[in-house]
Structure formats: structure tokens, C-alpha cells
């Protein structure tokens, strides 16, 4: 039974470290801009996971396209490597945290996820 708790603790510690690494990747100007736009576009709390996944892929896409705009060659990431998918997972967790915070602030300011609705007469 102790080994089960140790395994769960190790898994949760690894997941926390991964989320912290993703949060560090998001906590830059580009990541914060993506998160703010994603939080403004997000329609409700149920869309958090899809929005965070989309934001992570936008982050990766910008990382691929930006060197090309500076005159460099197009270099695709190694899609079949574990490091790439761990980076995507870390960014996903980081964006989920940051978008949730921004969306929470947005709901406080606007009074709800969809704003105030007026009755149609």
C-alpha cells in the first residue's frame, strides 16, 4: 500500500513540475498575449481545456514561424519525439492555469461568463 502512495506522490510531483515548467514558458510576453486573447475568446468554463490546447498549439506554431520571418529556414519540430510532446503538455498545463486566472478576472469584471443579458421585448 505504501508503494501505491509513493507512486501516486511521484506522479503528482512530476505533474506539478511539468505544470510549473509550462507556466514558466507561458509567463513571457508572447505567452501572456496568447493567454489574454484566449481568455477573451473563451465562452465558458467548460471550454477551458480546449482553449488551453489551442493556445499551446498557437505557441508552438509561432515558435516555428517566427524564425522563418526573420529570414531563416523552416524547421519543423520533431513531432515523433517525447520531448516535443512533453513541451506541448507543459505548455497546455501552463496555459490552462493562466487562462483560468484571466477568465476568472474577466468574469468578475463583466459579471459572468457571457456578460449581462438583456431580455428581448
Amino acid at each position: 500500500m505504501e508503494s501505491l502512495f509513493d507512486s501516486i506522490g511521484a506522479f503528482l510531483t512530476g505533474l506539478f513540475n511539468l505544470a510549473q515548467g509550462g507556466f514558466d514558458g507561458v509567463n513571457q510576453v508572447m505567452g501572456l498575449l496568447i493567454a489574454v486573447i484566449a481568455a477573451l475568446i473563451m465562452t465558458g468554463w467548460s471550454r477551458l481545456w480546449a482553449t488551453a490546447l489551442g493556445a499551446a498549439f498557437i505557441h508552438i506554431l509561432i515558435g516555428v514561424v517566427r524564425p522563418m520571418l526573420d529570414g531563416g529556414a523552416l524547421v519543423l519540430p520533431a513531432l515523433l519525439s517525447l520531448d516535443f510532446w512533453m513541451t506541448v503538455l507543459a505548455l497546455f498545463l501552463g496555459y490552462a492555469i493562466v487562462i483560468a486566472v484571466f477568465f476568472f478576472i474577466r468574469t468578475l469584471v463583466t459579471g459572468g461568463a457571457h456578460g449581462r443579458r438583456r431580455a428581448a421585448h
Side-chain angles (χ1 to χ4, degrees):
M1 192 65 154
E2 269 186 47
S3 65
L4 176 65
F5 289 130
D6 291 340
S7 298
I8 292 172
F11 173 75
L12 292 176
T13 301
L15 193 62
F16 177 74
N17 290 338
L18 194 61
Q20 186 177 11
F23 182 73
D24 291 342
V26 173
N27 198 11
Q28 299 171 5
V29 173
M30 179 182 72
L32 291 175
L33 284 174
I34 292 171
V36 165
I37 292 169
L40 291 174
I41 293 173
M42 196 165 80
T43 57
W45 285 108
S46 62
R47 302 294 302 161
L48 175 63
W49 304 116
T51 305
L53 185 63
F57 279 116
I58 293 295
H59 188 105
I60 296 292
L61 183 66
I62 289 173
V64 168
V65 171
R66 188 168 47 181
M68 207 172 66
L69 295 176
D70 291 336
L74 174 65
V75 179
L76 294 176
L79 296 175
L80 298 178
S81 72
L82 182 63
D83 289 338
F84 171 76
W85 291 107
M86 292 301 284
T87 301
V88 171
L89 179 61
L91 285 172
F92 168 73
L93 293 173
Y95 274 114
I97 293 167
V98 175
I99 290 170
V101 169
F102 286 156
F103 188 72
F104 178 71
I105 292 170
R106 179 183 144 204
T107 58
L108 288 177
V109 170
T110 61
H114 301 289
R116 296 176 193 253
R117 294 185 179 173
R118 294 184 208 170
H121 295 291

